């Protein structure tokens, strides 16, 4: 396994300062058999200049692809995956950063589990995140490790809750998969949001997937990116709700209710495009759809407090 080349696919657009940090974290990896494929969603002279500067100082194979026209993050990843020459694909968002042992740790884990590049597997890692850059302690995610969760479906792991917290968390920059599987099950093109969730659920549906987790934090999920430029922070609750409806068949009832509370209702409460009265009306409609068991759960009351604060501050 240690002879396999890993192709690191980084989608980006005109954010050279963040991209530089991401690329440097790849170049510092203790696992050396890597190539980097940077896919610009459009054209960016600043990005081209940065990549040229890094290439001039490095012996690592670095490929820059510019799509000319905007294709979106999903297709940018697909383009990078198709261009990859490695047997393994590691995904990295341009605003995230790996610790230097990230890839070595994942390769070691694959060896321990006797998994080869012929196997349909998803190997992800724990991450560290922060809300303020001067925090002394970062928060690790997921809250519950995959194996300890006892969940067999990715949707249950991602969206079910326990007590006052979400159970699982799988972020794109933590993922390592065989190339053939990423080719066979590509990212859905055209999604303005939830590209990672959508892909993970597709993998779980289409592949006989083995899921393993490196429980040591191996990346920093940075929060120094302007919220209006990070897809995950953009409030598109109507799209989120429809995405949930489209995938409802793979959710448990508890997972779907938690999804509605966490990602639809809270976003409605935070929607500054609606009046307070309109938001309350929309919230009441969704509250009626939740099961009685969901309504009496501690997690639901936690979310109600969050929604009330959002309404008050909005």
């Amino acid at each position: 396994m240690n002879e396999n080349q890993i192709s690191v696919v980084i989608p980006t657009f005109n954010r050279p300062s963040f991209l530089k940090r991401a690329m440097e974290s790849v170049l510092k990896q203790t696992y050396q058999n890597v190539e980097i494929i940077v896919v610009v969603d459009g054209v960016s002279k600043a990005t081209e200049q940065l990549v040229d500067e890094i290439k001039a100082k490095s012996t690592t194979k670095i490929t820059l692809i510019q799509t000319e026209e905007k294709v979106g993050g999903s297709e940018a990843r697909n383009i990078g995956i198709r261009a990859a020459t490695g047997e393994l694909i590691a995904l990295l968002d341009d605003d995230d950063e790996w610790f230097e042992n990230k890839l070595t740790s994942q390769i070691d884990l694959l060896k321990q589990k006797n998994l080869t590049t012929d196997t349909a597997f998803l190997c992800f890692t724990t991450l560290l995140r922060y809300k303020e850059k001067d925090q002394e302690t970062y928060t690790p995610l997921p809250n519950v490790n995959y194996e300890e969760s006892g969940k067999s479906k990715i949707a249950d792991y991602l969206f079910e809750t326990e007590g006052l917290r979400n159970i699982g968390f799988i972020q794109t920059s933590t993922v390592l998969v065989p190339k053939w599987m990423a080719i066979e099950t590509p990212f859905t093109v055209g999604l303005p949001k939830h590209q990672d969730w959508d892909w993970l659920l597709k993998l779980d549906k289409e592949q006989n997937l083995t899921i393993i987790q490196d429980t040591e934090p191996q990346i920093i999920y940075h929060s120094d990116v302007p919220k209006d430029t990070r897809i995950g922070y953009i409030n598109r609750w109507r799209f989120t709700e429809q995405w949930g409806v489209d995938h409802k068949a793979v959710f448990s009832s508890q997972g779907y209710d938690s999804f509605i509370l966490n990602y639809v209702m809270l976003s409605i409460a935070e929607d500054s495009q609606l009046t307070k009265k309109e938001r309350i009306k929309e919230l009441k409609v969704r509250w009626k759809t939740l099961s009685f068991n969901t309504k009496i759960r501690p997690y639901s009351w936690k979310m109600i407090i969050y929604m009330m604060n959002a309404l008050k501050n909005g």
Side-chain angles (χ1 to χ4, degrees):
M1 181 66 74
N2 63 341
E3 296 303 318
N4 291 128
Q5 185 183 56
I6 300 176
S7 298
V8 182
V9 176
I10 310 176
T12 189
F13 178 70
N14 209 31
R15 302 202 295 186
S17 61
F18 296 124
L19 177 62
K20 182 173 187 273
R21 179 177 64 193
M23 291 182 69
E24 287 178 345
S25 77
V26 178
L27 297 174
K28 293 176 183 176
Q29 289 297 297
T30 55
Y31 190 90
Q32 292 291 298
N33 192 7
V34 301
E35 67 169 345
I36 300 174
I37 302 173
V38 176
V39 183
V40 180
D41 183 15
V43 177
S44 168
K45 290 294 184 182
T47 301
E48 183 177 357
Q49 182 179 349
L50 170 68
V51 172
D52 286 344
E53 290 173 357
I54 293 176
K55 284 175 69 173
K57 300 175 184 178
S58 175
T59 58
T60 298
K61 180 184 176 183
I62 300 173
T63 302
L64 175 68
I65 300 172
Q66 303 201 68
T67 65
E68 303 298 329
E69 296 182 356
K70 296 286 284 183
V71 297
S74 290
E75 182 61 5
R77 292 187 183 95
N78 290 338
I79 289 169
I81 290 166
R82 291 195 294 267
T85 60
E87 299 93 340
L88 295 167
I89 300 292
L91 300 170
L92 176 58
D93 291 348
D94 67 353
D95 47 7
D96 293 328
E97 179 181 7
W98 288 349
F99 294 137
E100 64 180 17
N101 205 45
K102 190 261 189 188
L103 295 178
T104 295
S105 182
Q106 287 182 293
I107 292 294
D108 288 346
L109 184 58
L110 294 177
K111 290 178 183 177
Q112 292 172 23
K113 301 294 185 180
N114 295 315
L115 295 172
T116 70
T117 54
D118 296 326
T119 312
F121 69 79
L122 173 82
C123 179
F124 74 101
T125 79
T126 298
L127 59 80
L128 297 179
R129 73 168 179 178
Y130 58 91
K131 293 184 178 180
E132 303 294 337
K133 286 188 287 185
D134 58 355
Q135 275 184 227
E136 293 184 5
T137 304
Y138 292 176
T139 303
L141 287 174
N143 291 312
V144 180
N145 293 332
Y146 180 78
E147 189 172 340
E148 295 170 358
S149 74
K151 305 301 178 185
S152 58
K153 294 171 61 178
I154 286 182
D156 294 345
Y157 181 63
L158 290 177
F159 301 114
E160 286 192 10
T161 59
E162 183 180 272
L164 293 175
R165 60 185 187 172
N166 290 83
I167 294 175
F169 193 87
I170 303 177
Q171 199 268 348
T172 320
S173 298
T174 70
V175 167
L176 181 71
V177 295
K179 177 186 173 181
W180 69 264
M181 191 178 76
I183 292 287
E184 200 170 280
T185 304
F187 283 80
T188 301
V189 178
L191 295 180
K193 199 174 174 71
H194 311 320
Q195 299 165 1
D196 49 354
W197 289 346
D198 187 89
W199 183 61
L200 291 169
L201 268 56
K202 277 179 67 177
L203 286 175
D204 209 18
K205 179 181 179 181
E206 297 179 5
Q207 305 290 343
N208 184 21
L209 200 59
T210 297
I211 303 171
I212 57 174
Q213 177 191 356
D214 178 0
T215 57
E216 290 297 316
Q218 299 294 350
I219 86 162
I220 299 177
Y221 183 54
H222 280 289
S223 297
D224 57 353
V225 184
K227 288 190 175 184
D228 60 351
T229 67
R230 190 159 201 162
I231 288 176
Y233 287 131
I234 299 174
N235 192 341
R236 293 189 174 107
W237 63 265
R238 295 183 192 279
F239 173 83
T240 295
E241 184 172 44
Q242 186 58 53
W243 183 89
V245 170
D246 293 343
H247 293 82
K248 188 174 182 179
V250 302
F251 284 79
S252 67
S253 58
Q254 197 248 71
Y256 187 74
D257 279 1
S258 296
F259 173 83
I260 295 298
L261 276 164
N262 208 353
Y263 302 106
V264 178
M265 293 180 67
L266 183 57
S267 294
I268 290 172
E270 294 172 338
D271 188 356
S272 60
Q273 300 301 310
L274 300 177
T275 66
K276 183 175 180 180
K277 183 177 180 180
E278 288 171 332
R279 282 180 274 172
I280 291 173
K281 180 180 178 180
E282 297 284 2
L283 289 171
K284 286 180 177 178
V285 171
R286 276 78 186 174
W287 180 256
K288 289 178 180 178
T289 69
L290 304 179
S291 70
F292 175 76
N293 286 337
T294 293
K295 291 176 180 177
I296 63 174
R297 294 180 68 241
Y299 183 84
S300 299
W301 289 98
K302 169 189 167 183
M303 296 308 297
I304 288 171
I305 292 172
Y306 285 174
M307 283 182 253
M308 290 175 64
N309 286 335
L311 289 168
K312 180 173 63 175
N313 296 331

